[in-house]
Amino acid sequence: MINTLIEMFSYTFIVRAVVVGLLVSLCASLLGVSLVLKRYSMIGDGLSHVGFSTLAIASALELGDTPLTVSVPVVVLAAFLLLRISENSKIKGDAALALISAGSLAIGVSVISLTTGMNTDVCNYLFGSILAMSNDDVTFSVILAAVVLTMFVLFYNKIFAVTFDENFAKATGVRTGIYNMLIAFLTAITIVLGMRVMGTLLISSLIIFPALTSMRICKKFKTVTICSAVVSVVCFFTGVMLSYNYVMPTGASVVIVNIAAFLLFWALRIIPLAKLKTALLRQRIKQL
Amino acid sequence: MALITCQGVSFAYEGNTAVEELNFEVQNGDYLCIVGENGSGKSTLIKGILRLKSPSAGTVLMGEGLKSAEIGYLPQQTAAQKDFPASAYEVVLSGRLSSRGILPFYSRKDKAVANENIELLGIEPIRTRCYRELSGGQQQRVLLARALCATKRLLLLDEPVAGLDPLVTHELYRLIRKINRETGITVIMVSHDVASAVKYASHILHLKTKQAFFGRTGSYLNSGVGKAFLGGELSD
């Protein structure tokens, strides 16, 4: 076990991917609690697809060496747009997400097939690759993750209020629009950072799974948030080890570990109840 | 000057008038019940008073230095809230948010106010319980405590007893009257339940997409509108 760990971390590309991945899973799990409760679970999926198409277009136009600097602003813009659409227009949130998500995936795939052709690069974009991170990417990711975490802690109480009851918050003079935009902004950054390790198709799981898992057991917003952060980080690390040991794609292994964690937490909630029921049944049988 | 004054106020959704020509005043310490059928514009008016919706004509004036951040609001519950993982205390404390401004964390005073209101509404035993596991009546008390955390002046309640059983409904009405009498907080309540409205409220505003009646409860009972509406209830 320890030998495997030492061997694993002797590769710098794995260290880079793990550093970025841990930060991203931490940010995603914190934001995920709010997004899942606001019924915005699929926002991660939509935004990552937008990220995919901007990466494709950026590489087709040969816009610089660091695709992150191109895709962050575009995805942030898409996040604001999504928020606007779902608030104001007649197309409802989930339908708007589906439109943007499928549309940008189609554009991305078309651009790639017209320029470089469908190759392993595309596969890496879609399902994630541990080799994707350069040193510059890591620096950029660490800075952005620090921003996301600080903002989340500073605005924790506001995010709670806006998530629990937007109408009440608005009525008592809290500027909910700004905090909704803040959540969208932080989510967009997190998605772009995590996209290349986790893959376009799988990044949304980092937002959804830890939140749902911790909601099986925890009953306070604060504990849900903290538990979700811990679950997410542990699952990511275990997933990377799994992926290293069995030579599986990183994103997929992380999701599989997350599924296991979800089932475990779910079982933990069910089992005490089951015990209680059998105990009651036994008592009744005795009485009979 | 009155706490709230409506002068020739109308509200419209995309050009379609929801309610029009409202003229009434709410004084400090009043207990106003807004009654009327579905679609008569009750909830729209509440949104207007809260400044969530601006009137298409006329003005809603706030007197005596009342700011919109000083209104306590008890909205109708949303589906998302029913399974929300938060403790009762967390929910109550979030009512203090508007007084925080841009400061990130709650002060000791905010926590003290939250605890006072928890005591006032008798929800001490459930303060650490999870909101989604509470009964309908307990949830409403928690939300009422949160609304009280946001205000010392005006409480707006949007159908607070919807979906509650008769006993709990009765308790909640008495609690609201107690708050109105003992703390002097002005109460504006939207209700379907006319019988209880005339029992507890000091003033009645009856909407029928127009203002059908506004005045003291006593004169409402003797008015044509009031008799018809109450009579209709009784003969059902």
Side-chain angles (χ1 to χ4, degrees):
Chain A
M1 168 90 177
I2 291 170
N3 282 337
T4 329
L5 271 179
I6 293 171
E7 189 193 319
M8 223 173 98
F9 284 110
S10 61
Y11 299 105
T12 44
F13 69 90
I14 292 187
V15 176
R16 284 201 292 260
V18 167
V19 167
V20 173
L22 285 177
L23 287 172
V24 166
S25 39
L26 188 61
C27 296
S29 62
L30 295 178
L31 294 165
V33 175
S34 174
L35 291 171
V36 166
L37 288 168
K38 279 168 82 78
R39 307 287 191 264
Y40 265 132
S41 300
M42 291 312 285
I43 198 168
D45 207 46
L47 293 181
S48 67
H49 286 45
V50 173
F52 172 73
S53 72
T54 49
L55 284 183
I57 293 170
S59 69
L61 299 175
E62 289 170 0
L63 287 175
D65 307 325
T66 48
L68 275 184
T69 45
V70 184
S71 48
V72 166
V74 177
V75 175
V76 167
L77 208 69
F80 288 162
L81 197 73
L82 264 179
L83 212 68
R84 279 282 133 165
I85 291 176
S86 53
E87 268 173 9
N88 301 331
S89 85
K90 296 224 164 122
I91 303 175
K92 288 288 164 244
D94 58 339
L97 264 176
L99 274 182
I100 291 191
S101 143
S104 45
L105 190 61
I107 293 171
V109 170
S110 309
V111 168
I112 288 177
S113 70
L114 284 175
T115 53
T116 54
M118 302 293 269
N119 50 24
T120 42
D121 274 1
V122 182
C123 193
N124 284 343
Y125 277 140
L126 289 179
F127 299 106
S129 160
I130 205 159
L131 301 166
M133 306 307 283
S134 71
N135 264 335
D136 284 350
D137 288 347
V138 175
T139 325
F140 195 54
S141 305
V142 171
I143 293 169
L144 284 183
V147 171
V148 173
L149 289 175
T150 325
M151 299 278 249
F152 187 87
V153 172
L154 282 181
F155 291 106
Y156 167 81
N157 286 319
K158 267 114 184 162
I159 289 174
F160 171 79
V162 172
T163 309
F164 180 71
D165 194 341
E166 201 170 329
N167 279 331
F168 175 84
K170 212 191 264 177
T172 50
V174 176
R175 297 168 72 186
T176 54
I178 289 182
Y179 298 112
N180 275 330
M181 271 164 87
L182 179 78
I183 295 174
F185 174 69
L186 300 181
T187 311
I189 293 179
T190 309
I191 293 294
V192 178
L193 291 185
M195 224 175 80
R196 287 182 311 149
V197 176
M198 288 295 291
T200 307
L201 297 178
L202 296 173
I203 177 74
S204 59
S205 65
L206 280 189
I207 287 183
I208 304 167
F209 269 107
L212 280 181
T213 303
S214 56
M215 275 176 218
R216 293 311 98 198
I217 290 191
C218 300
K219 294 181 173 176
K220 288 182 188 172
F221 194 73
K222 201 170 256 170
T223 49
V224 168
T225 311
I226 294 167
C227 174
S228 154
V230 173
V231 166
S232 183
V233 166
V234 170
C235 284
F236 183 83
F237 199 77
T238 322
V240 171
M241 283 184 62
L242 195 71
S243 124
Y244 179 79
N245 263 341
Y246 296 96
V247 203
M248 301 197 309
T250 323
S253 340
V254 172
V255 175
I256 285 172
V257 175
N258 265 303
I259 294 174
F262 178 78
L263 291 176
L264 179 73
F265 274 56
W266 178 67
L268 280 179
R269 189 173 74 158
I270 299 295
I271 286 167
L273 277 178
K275 263 187 194 164
L276 204 72
K277 269 183 197 158
T278 47
L280 279 175
L281 264 179
R282 262 184 215 150
Q283 247 182 1
R284 257 191 216 161
I285 291 166
K286 265 185 199 167
Q287 279 171 357
L288 285 173
Chain B
M1 191 181 170
L3 199 61
I4 287 178
T5 313
C6 280
Q7 291 171 337
V9 171
S10 300
F11 291 101
Y13 288 100
E14 290 168 10
N16 300 320
T17 309
V19 60
E20 57 186 346
E21 287 168 46
L22 299 176
N23 290 290
F24 64 91
E25 286 184 347
V26 183
Q27 306 290 339
N28 224 341
D30 279 0
Y31 184 155
L32 172 73
C33 239
I34 306 174
V35 298
E37 287 146 35
N38 285 336
S40 58
K42 304 186 297 276
S43 293
T44 311
L45 174 59
I46 287 279
K47 281 185 190 146
I49 297 174
L50 287 168
R51 314 259 166 189
L52 296 181
K53 185 163 179 52
S54 42
S56 54
T59 46
V60 182
L61 290 172
M62 300 218 190
E64 302 182 15
L66 183 71
K67 292 181 206 129
S68 67
E70 290 175 335
I71 299 177
Y73 177 41
L74 182 73
Q76 293 185 26
Q77 286 203 45
T78 60
Q81 271 169 31
K82 296 231 156 110
D83 59 347
F84 202 93
S87 69
Y89 177 70
E90 282 179 312
V91 174
V92 174
L93 189 61
S94 74
R96 293 296 299 167
L97 194 68
S98 57
S99 64
R100 290 275 75 203
I102 56 159
L103 297 173
F105 306 112
Y106 294 115
S107 68
R108 206 170 285 170
K109 191 191 156 214
D110 292 323
K111 288 174 184 162
V113 171
N115 284 326
E116 263 168 41
N117 287 315
I118 284 175
E119 215 166 289
L120 179 70
L121 294 193
I123 46 176
E124 201 88 87
I126 55 164
R127 62 176 272 149
T128 55
R129 292 262 309 273
C130 181
Y131 180 79
R132 67 180 165 201
E133 287 168 0
L134 302 177
S135 69
Q138 288 170 329
Q139 288 184 344
Q140 285 303 72
R141 279 177 184 238
V142 170
L143 294 185
L144 195 56
R146 176 185 66 166
L148 285 173
C149 279
T151 188
K152 287 217 153 12
R153 316 276 302 271
L154 175 62
L155 207 51
L156 274 178
L157 313 167
D158 197 353
E159 302 200 10
V161 298
L164 300 182
D165 68 53
L167 194 71
V168 177
T169 301
H170 184 65
E171 274 175 13
L172 199 65
Y173 275 132
R174 287 182 39 171
L175 197 59
I176 293 165
R177 182 170 64 180
K178 182 179 143 198
I179 291 165
N180 173 247
R181 286 190 180 162
E182 287 179 10
T183 60
I185 291 180
T186 312
V187 173
I188 300 180
M189 184 198 292
V190 166
S191 178
H192 272 299
D193 181 3
V194 194
S196 300
V198 295
K199 189 171 161 198
Y200 292 103
S202 66
H203 291 73
I204 300 284
L205 172 65
H206 190 136
L207 298 181
K208 242 180 192 175
T209 66
K210 278 186 185 171
Q211 184 170 322
F213 177 88
F214 172 72
R216 295 209 143 263
T217 309
S219 37
Y220 179 69
L221 289 172
N222 294 320
S223 70
V225 205
K227 274 181 184 160
F229 206 46
L230 276 164
E233 286 250 315
L234 292 177
S235 68
D236 274 344

